[in-house]
Amino acid sequence: MKNILKVLCVFIPVFVFSQTRSVKKITVKNTTKTTVKKGTVAPKANPDLVVINKDLPVLIPKKKDGKFGYVNQRGKFIIQPEYHIAVFFYEDCNLLNSPNEKIRKFGTKEYATVEKDMISYRIDHAGKRVYQFKDSDLGKCKFEEYKQQPFQAYILNGFYGIIEKSKFVNAADYRQYQIYPQYQYLYIMEGDDVTDPMIVASNNDKFGVIDVNNKIIIPFEYSNIKRNFSWKLGKMFEVTKDGTNYYYIDANNKTY
């Protein structure tokens, strides 16, 4: 009897221990982990950056109380006016070609140049200052091949007209003028399409905009229209009626 009990005392712990090991092995080997792939979460679009006119920038410089900020296409201030200078969101070729590779991204059209307290910055669409200009960061611009302008202003008897240079030979033949001289002043704006440029014109001491077919794009109701890069950069014109307060309008004469 004692021998039987001794055998059982040895057998039972061995049996239990073996079962415990067996259970642990089954748990580890037969349990499979399910990997849940997280889907790519798309960034939420900013509802304030509305696009009403696809030809225009989503943010437009606007002056208020002597300082510049940015409004959206509905005219709502998205970036509050606090800058002495604010230009369109556009490429900065000096930064794009910077010797510092880390800041080249700030030269893309996703950023705009502003100036406050004599310090220049690049800001993003939320108005955050992401970069402060340093002379050591500026590279040399690589200019594109110059597009020859087919049209030019021509003065006859004190009036301005437009000629196509490759076809113009005889000034006495009115048929050779693209626009016969009839304006007080003409200036061909810099733009992407040299075959269909916008032309700032003056008539009866008022400024407007015409095309090369003498079609009026902007009516002659402004005391001045700046001859700058606003058309090339933003498809807009910087105008004033009182000679002091300038603001932007689009090709439909809508004010921003």
Side-chain angles (χ1 to χ4, degrees):
M1 185 66 179
K2 289 182 180 181
N3 291 333
I4 294 172
L5 288 174
K6 288 181 181 179
V7 171
L8 289 175
C9 288
V10 173
F11 178 76
I12 290 174
V14 171
F15 176 78
V16 172
F17 181 72
S18 65
Q19 291 300 307
T20 303
R21 291 179 60 193
S22 177
V23 170
K24 287 182 179 179
K25 287 181 180 179
I26 292 172
T27 303
V28 174
K29 289 185 177 180
N30 294 342
T31 301
T32 56
K33 294 182 179 181
T34 303
T35 303
V36 179
K37 293 184 179 180
K38 294 182 179 180
T40 302
V41 179
K44 292 182 179 179
N46 188 339
D48 286 326
L49 301 182
V50 293
V51 178
I52 300 172
N53 185 337
K54 63 179 179 61
D55 294 327
L56 301 182
V58 293
L59 289 175
I60 302 162
K62 187 175 180 67
K63 195 173 187 179
K64 181 181 180 182
D65 299 330
K67 295 181 179 180
F68 284 96
Y70 291 82
V71 297
N72 63 13
Q73 291 190 10
R74 288 200 177 105
K76 175 185 176 183
F77 268 103
I78 306 302
I79 300 174
Q80 295 304 311
E82 60 173 304
Y83 296 105
H84 174 64
I85 295 174
V87 299
F88 288 103
F89 281 77
Y90 203 73
E91 292 181 351
D92 184 305
C93 62
N94 295 113
L95 291 180
L96 284 175
N97 295 285
S98 173
N100 185 349
E101 294 184 7
K102 292 182 179 180
I103 61 93
R104 288 177 185 174
K105 62 181 180 181
F106 299 125
T108 67
K109 62 182 180 181
E110 296 302 314
Y111 304 95
T113 298
V114 296
E115 182 181 296
K116 182 177 182 179
D117 300 327
M118 305 298 289
I119 301 174
S120 296
Y121 306 92
R122 292 286 275 180
I123 61 172
D124 62 17
H125 284 90
K128 181 180 178 181
R129 297 173 195 167
V130 294
Y131 171 75
Q132 180 177 326
F133 277 86
K134 298 178 182 178
D135 289 341
S136 59
D137 287 338
L138 304 182
K140 293 183 179 180
C141 293
K142 299 177 182 178
F143 294 103
E144 298 179 359
E145 184 179 351
Y146 177 72
K147 294 181 180 179
Q148 185 67 34
Q149 296 283 349
F151 300 101
Q152 72 176 40
Y154 189 90
I155 304 174
L156 179 66
N157 299 325
F159 292 96
Y160 284 74
I162 295 291
I163 62 170
E164 188 172 356
K165 291 180 287 186
S166 62
K167 298 179 180 179
F168 189 79
V169 178
N170 185 5
D173 185 355
Y174 72 93
R175 294 171 298 181
Q176 293 194 11
Y177 292 90
Q178 182 70 25
I179 298 176
Y180 194 78
Q182 57 193 278
Y183 291 100
Q184 293 171 301
Y185 176 81
L186 288 177
Y187 180 86
I188 300 175
M189 295 286 279
E190 184 77 18
D192 295 328
D193 187 358
V194 296
T195 64
D196 186 24
M198 294 291 100
I199 304 167
V200 174
S202 177
N203 189 33
N204 295 324
D205 298 324
K206 292 291 184 180
F207 283 85
V209 177
I210 61 175
D211 66 10
V212 291
N213 297 311
N214 208 19
K215 176 185 175 183
I216 296 176
I217 307 298
I218 301 298
F220 290 86
E221 58 184 48
Y222 298 99
S223 64
N224 194 20
I225 299 178
K226 286 188 178 182
R227 276 74 77 191
N228 54 22
F229 288 96
S230 60
W231 177 251
K232 181 176 178 62
L233 301 184
K235 292 293 186 289
M236 307 188 83
F237 304 101
E238 194 171 0
V239 303
T240 181
K241 287 189 174 182
D242 60 11
T244 302
N245 299 302
Y246 282 84
Y247 52 92
Y248 287 102
I249 62 172
D250 63 19
N252 297 314
N253 204 31
K254 181 181 177 182
T255 300
Y256 295 86

